Amino acid sequence: MAAFHVTMFYKPFLPSLFLLVLFLPNLHITDAQVGVCNGRLGNNLPSNQDVVQLYKSNGIRRMRIYDPNPQALQALRGSGTEFILDVPNSNLEGLANNAAAARKWVQDNILNYYPDAKFRIIAVGNEVNPNGGETARLAPFVLPAMSKIYDAIASAGLKDQIKVSTATYSELVSNSYPPSKGSFSGASGSFMGPIINFLKNTNNPLLFNIYPYFSHIGDPQNVPLPYALFTATSGFPQDGQNQYRNLFDALLDAAYSAVEKAGGPNVVIVVSESGWPSAGGPAASVENAGTYYRNLINHVKGGSGSPKRPGRAIETYLFAMFDENQKTGAESEKHFGLFSPNKQPKYQLSFN
C-alpha cells in the first residue's frame, strides 16, 4: 500500500469525483478464491507457522507476502496455500541487468521450495511510480527485472505454472471518469506501455492495488461513503452501456480501459490489494471496514465480474491479515488488519 494514494476524478453523482484503481490474471487466475496479504511490519505478530495455520483454519487459501523471508517460505511448504511472492523494490536495480543474479534469486527463493510451496505469481516491484517520489528512480529497472525473473523461471520449465508481473496502483491511471476514458499518459504511459506489452506477449496478468477508501476520504462529498462500501441504492453513474453500482468496479474498469489503450486487451487484472481501515482516519471504523470486506468478498466471488469484464470472478487479495504497528505514514495505515496480532478476528467473514 502506498503511503498516500492520489485519487483521480470520477463522477457518479456530481460532475467530478475522485478515483482510484486496480485488478485480475490467467492460470485460472479468474477463479473465485479470495486471498489475504500477509504484511509483517509489526513487532507483535504471530510466528510464520502460526500465520499459515491461521490462514488454513479460516479457509483462506491464498496469500501475498512482500519479501522472500526464508522462515515464511518454509512455513508455506506443504500447506497447500497458493501465494504471490514479491521481489522487493530494493532488489530491482540489482536484478535488472544481471541475468545471473536473477537466476540466483529464482533458485534461492523459488526453486529451493518448489513444488512443496505453491508459488502463484511473482510480483517484481510494488507501486513504483515514475511520476515522482521515492520510487521514481526505480522505474527504469522494473521491466528489465521482470524480464530477467521471467527468463529464469522459464529456463526452469515453470513459466506456465508461476506467473510474473508487477504491482501498480491507481495514481498511474489518468482520465478515470468515465471508466471507459481510463488511460496511462505521460510518464505513466512510457512506463506502463512496455510492461503491458511484456505481459501480453508472455501471457501474464497485471497486479493492481485498489482502495476505494482513499477515493472516499479524498473527496467525501463527491465520492459518497455508500458508493465506496457497495451499499448505494441509487445515483449510479452510466458509462455508455455500462452502469456502475459501486466504486470498486469503476476503478477496476478504468484500469482495464488504460490497459486496453496500452495494447493489452486480453491482459487480465488481479487485485493485489484492497482494504479498509478500522481506525486512525476519516470513515475508518470497525463497522465500515467490516461492511467493505464482507461486500467486497461477496462481489468478487460472485462471478458477475465488472461491467467491462462480466461473467468472471475477480481474483482479489484483501489487505491485510494483521494490524501492523510499525507501518509509517497515516495512522490509518496501522489498522487495516482483518485480525489483531493476538490472532483474534475483527470481523465475521467467510473467505471461500
Side-chain angles (χ1 to χ4, degrees):
M1 185 199 314
F4 177 69
H5 291 253
V6 175
T7 50
M8 291 145 205
F9 287 106
Y10 163 100
K11 175 125 201 184
F13 297 76
L14 295 177
S16 76
L17 263 192
F18 274 93
L19 261 213
L20 222 82
V21 196
L22 43 177
F23 315 110
L24 208 143
N26 168 345
L27 120 91
H28 294 280
I29 260 161
T30 55
D31 62 28
Q33 301 262 355
V34 174
V36 180
C37 301
N38 181 24
R40 301 290 294 174
L41 294 178
N43 60 11
N44 57 353
L45 299 179
S47 70
N48 288 291
Q49 202 65 52
D50 284 351
V51 170
V52 169
Q53 187 55 48
L54 189 62
Y55 272 68
K56 292 177 70 174
S57 65
N58 282 278
I60 307 169
R61 296 192 284 271
R62 292 199 180 140
M63 180 187 292
R64 180 182 177 187
I65 58 176
Y66 292 87
D67 65 272
N69 178 286
Q71 289 75 34
L73 293 172
Q74 184 63 37
L76 284 162
R77 278 186 190 270
S79 68
T81 302
E82 297 181 303
F83 59 97
I84 297 173
L85 171 63
D86 279 34
V87 176
N89 289 347
S90 58
N91 291 171
L92 296 176
E93 186 172 359
L95 296 173
N97 298 305
N98 191 330
R103 286 193 298 270
K104 186 176 189 307
W105 196 97
V106 167
Q107 179 66 54
D108 291 349
N109 302 306
I110 299 177
L111 300 183
N112 283 355
Y113 300 92
Y114 183 87
D116 297 337
K118 294 187 175 299
F119 297 87
R120 185 166 179 81
I121 307 170
I122 307 303
V124 184
N126 183 45
E127 294 188 337
V128 172
N129 186 350
N131 298 296
E134 60 184 24
T135 63
R137 72 169 196 87
L138 299 175
F141 306 121
V142 174
L143 180 56
M146 290 172 66
S147 180
K148 297 294 189 301
I149 293 293
Y150 174 82
D151 288 346
I153 289 173
S155 294
L158 297 176
K159 67 181 178 65
D160 294 326
Q161 286 74 41
I162 302 173
K163 297 299 184 179
V164 176
S165 188
T166 188
T168 189
Y169 68 129
S170 54
E171 188 171 326
L172 304 194
V173 175
S174 56
N175 307 318
S176 303
Y177 181 77
S180 61
K181 299 294 186 184
S183 64
F184 299 117
S185 60
S188 294
S190 300
F191 174 64
M192 290 301 299
I195 288 174
I196 298 302
N197 189 59
F198 170 84
L199 297 175
K200 176 186 70 175
N201 291 336
T202 58
N203 192 31
N204 279 291
L206 177 65
L207 304 182
F208 223 101
N209 300 342
I210 184 168
Y211 285 93
Y213 171 75
F214 291 109
S215 295
H216 166 66
I217 67 169
D219 187 1
Q221 182 176 355
N222 289 331
V223 186
L225 181 63
Y227 195 65
L229 292 177
F230 298 87
T231 59
T233 57
S234 63
F236 303 126
Q238 197 79 23
D239 182 10
Q241 298 296 309
N242 295 327
Q243 184 182 67
Y244 286 88
R245 302 177 67 86
N246 62 79
L247 182 54
F248 179 91
D249 280 349
L251 298 176
L252 176 56
D253 280 359
Y256 264 122
S257 294
V259 170
E260 289 173 1
K261 292 182 179 71
N266 297 316
V267 172
V268 178
I269 292 173
V270 170
V271 182
S272 43
E273 289 182 11
S274 191
W276 197 285
S278 61
S285 68
V286 170
E287 181 181 5
N288 286 344
T291 297
Y292 181 75
Y293 285 120
R294 278 188 292 274
N295 289 336
L296 176 61
I297 290 169
N298 290 337
H299 180 64
V300 301
K301 283 171 54 181
S304 60
S306 67
K308 203 169 174 57
R309 291 289 186 275
R312 35 164 127 170
I314 303 167
E315 182 171 349
T316 300
Y317 293 77
L318 310 182
F319 188 90
M321 193 66 171
F322 301 106
D323 286 343
E324 298 173 78
N325 65 5
Q326 294 180 321
K327 291 276 286 187
T328 58
E331 176 63 22
S332 63
E333 299 273 341
K334 300 177 181 179
H335 301 281
F336 276 81
L338 304 178
F339 291 80
S340 299
N342 65 2
K343 300 188 287 187
Q344 293 304 302
K346 283 201 250 172
Y347 320 106
Q348 291 296 115
L349 301 176
S350 177
F351 294 95
N352 288 298

